[in-house]
PDB file of all heavy atoms in Angstrom:
ATOM      1  N   LYS A 131      32.966  18.662  18.000  1.00 96.00           N
ATOM      2  CA  LYS A 131      33.188  18.512  16.583  1.00 96.00           C
ATOM      3  C   LYS A 131      34.655  18.530  16.191  1.00 96.00           C
ATOM      4  O   LYS A 131      35.123  17.746  15.390  1.00 96.00           O
ATOM      5  CB  LYS A 131      32.435  19.605  15.739  1.00 96.00           C
ATOM      6  CG  LYS A 131      30.893  19.247  15.674  1.00 96.00           C
ATOM      7  CD  LYS A 131      30.390  19.810  14.411  1.00 96.00           C
ATOM      8  CE  LYS A 131      28.907  19.400  14.196  1.00 96.00           C
ATOM      9  NZ  LYS A 131      28.013  20.411  14.731  1.00 96.00           N
ATOM     10  N   ASP A 132      35.465  19.417  16.890  1.00 96.00           N
ATOM     11  CA  ASP A 132      36.877  19.551  16.566  1.00 96.00           C
ATOM     12  C   ASP A 132      37.624  18.179  16.691  1.00 96.00           C
ATOM     13  O   ASP A 132      38.551  17.878  15.993  1.00 96.00           O
ATOM     14  CB  ASP A 132      37.524  20.543  17.468  1.00 96.00           C
ATOM     15  CG  ASP A 132      37.591  21.931  16.805  1.00 96.00           C
ATOM     16  OD1 ASP A 132      37.092  22.043  15.634  1.00 96.00           O
ATOM     17  OD2 ASP A 132      38.078  22.883  17.479  1.00 96.00           O
ATOM     18  N   ARG A 133      37.186  17.437  17.679  1.00 97.00           N
ATOM     19  CA  ARG A 133      37.883  16.194  17.901  1.00 97.00           C
ATOM     20  C   ARG A 133      37.676  15.101  16.794  1.00 97.00           C
ATOM     21  O   ARG A 133      38.363  14.130  16.752  1.00 97.00           O
ATOM     22  CB  ARG A 133      37.384  15.593  19.302  1.00 97.00           C
ATOM     23  CG  ARG A 133      37.865  16.351  20.419  1.00 97.00           C
ATOM     24  CD  ARG A 133      37.312  15.808  21.731  1.00 97.00           C
ATOM     25  NE  ARG A 133      37.709  16.562  22.888  1.00 97.00           N
ATOM     26  CZ  ARG A 133      37.202  16.597  24.105  1.00 97.00           C
ATOM     27  NH1 ARG A 133      36.145  15.752  24.322  1.00 97.00           N
ATOM     28  NH2 ARG A 133      37.646  17.271  25.072  1.00 97.00           N
ATOM     29  N   ARG A 134      36.648  15.315  16.028  1.00 97.00           N
ATOM     30  CA  ARG A 134      36.311  14.313  14.965  1.00 97.00           C
ATOM     31  C   ARG A 134      36.385  14.908  13.534  1.00 97.00           C
ATOM     32  O   ARG A 134      35.924  14.327  12.641  1.00 97.00           O
ATOM     33  CB  ARG A 134      35.048  13.657  15.293  1.00 97.00           C
ATOM     34  CG  ARG A 134      33.798  14.625  15.273  1.00 97.00           C
ATOM     35  CD  ARG A 134      32.492  13.860  15.271  1.00 97.00           C
ATOM     36  NE  ARG A 134      31.380  14.632  14.721  1.00 97.00           N
ATOM     37  CZ  ARG A 134      30.401  15.170  15.407  1.00 97.00           C
ATOM     38  NH1 ARG A 134      30.425  15.134  16.743  1.00 97.00           N
ATOM     39  NH2 ARG A 134      29.449  15.840  14.875  1.00 97.00           N
ATOM     40  N   SER A 135      37.035  16.106  13.456  1.00 96.00           N
ATOM     41  CA  SER A 135      36.987  16.778  12.151  1.00 96.00           C
ATOM     42  C   SER A 135      37.905  16.065  11.128  1.00 96.00           C
ATOM     43  O   SER A 135      37.763  16.197   9.906  1.00 96.00           O
ATOM     44  CB  SER A 135      37.405  18.240  12.285  1.00 96.00           C
ATOM     45  OG  SER A 135      38.619  18.365  12.956  1.00 96.00           O
ATOM     46  N   ASN A 136      38.895  15.343  11.565  1.00 97.00           N
ATOM     47  CA  ASN A 136      39.704  14.531  10.637  1.00 97.00           C
ATOM     48  C   ASN A 136      40.337  13.367  11.411  1.00 97.00           C
ATOM     49  O   ASN A 136      40.279  13.291  12.594  1.00 97.00           O
ATOM     50  CB  ASN A 136      40.792  15.398   9.969  1.00 97.00           C
ATOM     51  CG  ASN A 136      41.589  16.127  10.967  1.00 97.00           C
ATOM     52  OD1 ASN A 136      42.148  15.547  11.893  1.00 97.00           O
ATOM     53  ND2 ASN A 136      41.609  17.454  10.827  1.00 97.00           N
ATOM     54  N   VAL A 137      40.967  12.466  10.635  1.00 97.00           N
ATOM     55  CA  VAL A 137      41.449  11.217  11.267  1.00 97.00           C
ATOM     56  C   VAL A 137      42.510  11.568  12.324  1.00 97.00           C
ATOM     57  O   VAL A 137      42.486  11.024  13.414  1.00 97.00           O
ATOM     58  CB  VAL A 137      42.096  10.294  10.260  1.00 97.00           C
ATOM     59  CG1 VAL A 137      42.806   9.156  10.829  1.00 97.00           C
ATOM     60  CG2 VAL A 137      41.059   9.761   9.283  1.00 97.00           C
ATOM     61  N   SER A 138      43.406  12.554  12.031  1.00 97.00           N
ATOM     62  CA  SER A 138      44.477  12.797  12.992  1.00 97.00           C
ATOM     63  C   SER A 138      43.945  13.366  14.303  1.00 97.00           C
ATOM     64  O   SER A 138      44.483  12.963  15.358  1.00 97.00           O
ATOM     65  CB  SER A 138      45.539  13.634  12.411  1.00 97.00           C
ATOM     66  OG  SER A 138      45.019  14.814  11.832  1.00 97.00           O
ATOM     67  N   SER A 139      42.890  14.149  14.260  1.00 97.00           N
ATOM     68  CA  SER A 139      42.450  14.668  15.563  1.00 97.00           C
ATOM     69  C   SER A 139      41.612  13.507  16.250  1.00 97.00           C
ATOM     70  O   SER A 139      41.719  13.517  17.510  1.00 97.00           O
ATOM     71  CB  SER A 139      41.562  15.938  15.409  1.00 97.00           C
ATOM     72  OG  SER A 139      40.447  15.753  14.615  1.00 97.00           O
ATOM     73  N   ILE A 140      41.043  12.593  15.533  1.00 98.00           N
ATOM     74  CA  ILE A 140      40.352  11.477  16.158  1.00 98.00           C
ATOM     75  C   ILE A 140      41.450  10.663  16.902  1.00 98.00           C
ATOM     76  O   ILE A 140      41.310  10.286  18.096  1.00 98.00           O
ATOM     77  CB  ILE A 140      39.608  10.597  15.164  1.00 98.00           C
ATOM     78  CG1 ILE A 140      38.333  11.282  14.712  1.00 98.00           C
ATOM     79  CG2 ILE A 140      39.290   9.255  15.731  1.00 98.00           C
ATOM     80  CD1 ILE A 140      37.555  10.581  13.733  1.00 98.00           C
ATOM     81  N   LEU A 141      42.543  10.340  16.209  1.00 97.00           N
ATOM     82  CA  LEU A 141      43.562   9.474  16.737  1.00 97.00           C
ATOM     83  C   LEU A 141      44.215  10.083  17.918  1.00 97.00           C
ATOM     84  O   LEU A 141      44.569   9.436  18.897  1.00 97.00           O
ATOM     85  CB  LEU A 141      44.526   8.942  15.686  1.00 97.00           C
ATOM     86  CG  LEU A 141      43.927   8.117  14.525  1.00 97.00           C
ATOM     87  CD1 LEU A 141      45.015   7.599  13.662  1.00 97.00           C
ATOM     88  CD2 LEU A 141      43.005   7.023  15.033  1.00 97.00           C
ATOM     89  N   SER A 142      44.441  11.362  17.843  1.00 96.00           N
ATOM     90  CA  SER A 142      45.199  12.052  18.940  1.00 96.00           C
ATOM     91  C   SER A 142      44.256  12.142  20.187  1.00 96.00           C
ATOM     92  O   SER A 142      44.724  12.005  21.303  1.00 96.00           O
ATOM     93  CB  SER A 142      45.847  13.357  18.570  1.00 96.00           C
ATOM     94  OG  SER A 142      44.791  14.261  18.229  1.00 96.00           O
ATOM     95  N   THR A 143      42.951  12.295  19.937  1.00 97.00           N
ATOM     96  CA  THR A 143      42.019  12.289  21.050  1.00 97.00           C
ATOM     97  C   THR A 143      42.019  10.858  21.738  1.00 97.00           C
ATOM     98  O   THR A 143      41.958  10.816  22.926  1.00 97.00           O
ATOM     99  CB  THR A 143      40.576  12.687  20.575  1.00 97.00           C
ATOM    100  OG1 THR A 143      40.629  13.919  19.920  1.00 97.00           O
ATOM    101  CG2 THR A 143      39.655  12.705  21.674  1.00 97.00           C
ATOM    102  N   LEU A 144      42.019   9.846  20.911  1.00 97.00           N
ATOM    103  CA  LEU A 144      42.007   8.521  21.391  1.00 97.00           C
ATOM    104  C   LEU A 144      43.295   8.310  22.279  1.00 97.00           C
ATOM    105  O   LEU A 144      43.232   7.698  23.380  1.00 97.00           O
ATOM    106  CB  LEU A 144      42.003   7.489  20.297  1.00 97.00           C
ATOM    107  CG  LEU A 144      40.705   7.346  19.494  1.00 97.00           C
ATOM    108  CD1 LEU A 144      40.791   6.430  18.392  1.00 97.00           C
ATOM    109  CD2 LEU A 144      39.537   6.951  20.443  1.00 97.00           C
ATOM    110  N   ASP A 145      44.485   8.817  21.735  1.00 95.00           N
ATOM    111  CA  ASP A 145      45.688   8.629  22.507  1.00 95.00           C
ATOM    112  C   ASP A 145      45.554   9.287  23.879  1.00 95.00           C
ATOM    113  O   ASP A 145      46.044   8.685  24.849  1.00 95.00           O
ATOM    114  CB  ASP A 145      46.805   9.302  21.737  1.00 95.00           C
ATOM    115  CG  ASP A 145      47.443   8.410  20.670  1.00 95.00           C
ATOM    116  OD1 ASP A 145      47.188   7.181  20.786  1.00 95.00           O
ATOM    117  OD2 ASP A 145      48.146   8.875  19.812  1.00 95.00           O
ATOM    118  N   ARG A 146      44.965  10.497  23.872  1.00 94.00           N
ATOM    119  CA  ARG A 146      44.780  11.204  25.176  1.00 94.00           C
ATOM    120  C   ARG A 146      43.955  10.433  26.156  1.00 94.00           C
ATOM    121  O   ARG A 146      44.285  10.276  27.318  1.00 94.00           O
ATOM    122  CB  ARG A 146      44.191  12.580  24.851  1.00 94.00           C
ATOM    123  CG  ARG A 146      45.067  13.623  25.443  1.00 94.00           C
ATOM    124  CD  ARG A 146      44.866  15.037  25.064  1.00 94.00           C
ATOM    125  NE  ARG A 146      43.678  15.483  24.416  1.00 94.00           N
ATOM    126  CZ  ARG A 146      42.745  16.330  24.962  1.00 94.00           C
ATOM    127  NH1 ARG A 146      43.017  16.813  26.119  1.00 94.00           N
ATOM    128  NH2 ARG A 146      41.753  16.709  24.182  1.00 94.00           N
ATOM    129  N   VAL A 147      42.798   9.921  25.684  1.00 94.00           N
ATOM    130  CA  VAL A 147      41.928   9.152  26.553  1.00 94.00           C
ATOM    131  C   VAL A 147      42.663   7.966  27.102  1.00 94.00           C
ATOM    132  O   VAL A 147      42.642   7.682  28.286  1.00 94.00           O
ATOM    133  CB  VAL A 147      40.696   8.687  25.829  1.00 94.00           C
ATOM    134  CG1 VAL A 147      39.739   7.821  26.703  1.00 94.00           C
ATOM    135  CG2 VAL A 147      39.907   9.805  25.251  1.00 94.00           C
ATOM    136  N   TYR A 148      43.261   7.200  26.196  1.00 94.00           N
ATOM    137  CA  TYR A 148      43.781   5.906  26.612  1.00 94.00           C
ATOM    138  C   TYR A 148      45.087   6.044  27.392  1.00 94.00           C
ATOM    139  O   TYR A 148      45.638   5.136  28.000  1.00 94.00           O
ATOM    140  CB  TYR A 148      43.959   5.008  25.403  1.00 94.00           C
ATOM    141  CG  TYR A 148      42.620   4.577  24.814  1.00 94.00           C
ATOM    142  CD1 TYR A 148      42.385   4.557  23.432  1.00 94.00           C
ATOM    143  CD2 TYR A 148      41.583   4.287  25.682  1.00 94.00           C
ATOM    144  CE1 TYR A 148      41.159   4.196  22.971  1.00 94.00           C
ATOM    145  CE2 TYR A 148      40.318   3.892  25.171  1.00 94.00           C
ATOM    146  CZ  TYR A 148      40.094   3.906  23.753  1.00 94.00           C
ATOM    147  OH  TYR A 148      38.843   3.528  23.298  1.00 94.00           O
ATOM    148  N   ASN A 149      45.731   7.214  27.328  1.00 91.00           N
ATOM    149  CA  ASN A 149      46.814   7.472  28.174  1.00 91.00           C
ATOM    150  C   ASN A 149      46.447   8.000  29.511  1.00 91.00           C
ATOM    151  O   ASN A 149      47.344   8.495  30.245  1.00 91.00           O
ATOM    152  CB  ASN A 149      47.872   8.319  27.450  1.00 91.00           C
ATOM    153  CG  ASN A 149      49.267   8.120  27.905  1.00 91.00           C
ATOM    154  OD1 ASN A 149      49.649   6.897  28.238  1.00 91.00           O
ATOM    155  ND2 ASN A 149      50.082   9.162  28.021  1.00 91.00           N
ATOM    156  N   LEU A 150      45.144   8.134  29.722  1.00 86.00           N
ATOM    157  CA  LEU A 150      44.636   8.675  30.990  1.00 86.00           C
ATOM    158  C   LEU A 150      44.821  10.165  31.055  1.00 86.00           C
ATOM    159  O   LEU A 150      44.820  10.729  32.184  1.00 86.00           O
ATOM    160  CB  LEU A 150      45.073   7.977  32.177  1.00 86.00           C
ATOM    161  CG  LEU A 150      44.921   6.460  32.293  1.00 86.00           C
ATOM    162  CD1 LEU A 150      45.569   5.933  33.555  1.00 86.00           C
ATOM    163  CD2 LEU A 150      43.506   6.024  32.222  1.00 86.00           C
ATOM    164  N   ASP A 151      45.062  10.854  29.982  1.00 85.00           N
ATOM    165  CA  ASP A 151      45.314  12.253  29.994  1.00 85.00           C
ATOM    166  C   ASP A 151      44.112  13.143  29.658  1.00 85.00           C
ATOM    167  O   ASP A 151      44.289  14.381  29.439  1.00 85.00           O
ATOM    168  CB  ASP A 151      46.512  12.636  29.078  1.00 85.00           C
ATOM    169  CG  ASP A 151      47.874  12.303  29.675  1.00 85.00           C
ATOM    170  OD1 ASP A 151      47.943  12.514  30.932  1.00 85.00           O
ATOM    171  OD2 ASP A 151      48.777  11.840  28.989  1.00 85.00           O
TER     172      ASP A 151
END
Side-chain angles (χ1 to χ4, degrees):
K131 283 211 176 91
D132 266 0
R133 292 177 178 163
R134 59 170 204 256
S135 53
N136 54 54
V137 174
S138 53
S139 62
I140 287 179
L141 299 188
S142 67
T143 304
L144 290 176
D145 276 344
R146 235 166 14 117
V147 177
Y148 292 137
N149 205 37
L150 306 179
D151 280 324

